[in-house]
Amino acid sequence: MPNFKLIATLSLVALAACQPRSLPPVAADGQSMPTGRQISAAEEQQIPIRVLQQINTLRGNIAAPPLTLNPQLSAAALAHSRDMSAQNRAWHWGSDGSSPLDRARRAGYFGTVAGENISESYENDMQTLSAWMGTRDTRDVIMDPAATNLGFAWYQEPSGKVWWTLLTGS
């Protein structure tokens, strides 16, 4: 009998070791919440350049002029990404009622704002760009032949969720 108790105890310990250490977060609808990875410091430097290069390749396919990164538009994009996170919703209006044009002016951009794309996701920059290219309205902002400037930024929450903002202008 003592061997039976020992075997049973060891079996329970072995089964307990097979259990997941923590359960994934669950949303209100009962589905698993997506999780993201943190953007590294090295990636922070590479992302805007990578996005610009990809966009200019796409624009080159239709003979549209290349875009150049604009620090004022990028500053406006960053401000809006942070604000969307604070509001916990992806939309084009700031918490103060500001429009993309208002935010660009505040950041010192006095050209024409052609358009703004936004996203709330756990995806990386290339997946987000691909999603924008898959929808006509957001693709038109990126491919607008009149645009010459690009602002691009994001804000990442500790959970890994990323709030992306892209602005084009001329």
Side-chain angles (χ1 to χ4, degrees), residues 63-127:
L67 300 178
T68 57
L69 278 173
N70 180 280
Q72 290 84 18
L73 284 178
S74 292
L78 178 58
H80 191 54
S81 293
R82 289 178 180 275
D83 190 43
M84 286 189 298
S85 172
Q87 295 182 69
N88 197 33
R89 65 177 166 182
W91 72 327
H92 294 284
W93 302 105
S95 56
D96 61 357
S98 62
S99 70
L101 178 61
D102 297 330
R103 293 187 295 276
R105 294 284 184 264
R106 275 190 220 145
Y109 185 79
F110 295 101
T112 301
V113 173
E116 178 182 69
N117 289 346
I118 56 173
S119 180
E120 163 194 6
S121 74
Y122 289 89
E123 297 174 335
N124 67 30
D125 53 308
M126 289 295 109
Q127 291 168 320

Side-chain angles (χ1 to χ4, degrees), residues 11-69:
S11 296
L12 287 173
V13 169
L15 284 174
C18 294
Q19 294 296 317
R21 299 207 188 277
S22 64
L23 296 173
V26 178
D29 63 2
Q31 299 295 316
S32 293
M33 298 253 320
T35 57
R37 61 175 188 74
Q38 291 298 314
I39 296 171
S40 71
E43 282 182 295
E44 287 180 13
Q45 303 298 315
Q46 298 167 357
I47 288 172
I49 295 163
R50 186 168 54 223
V51 168
L52 177 67
Q53 289 172 340
Q54 185 63 37
I55 287 173
N56 283 338
T57 298
L58 294 167
R59 289 172 62 85
N61 291 336
I62 63 164
L67 300 178
T68 57
L69 278 173

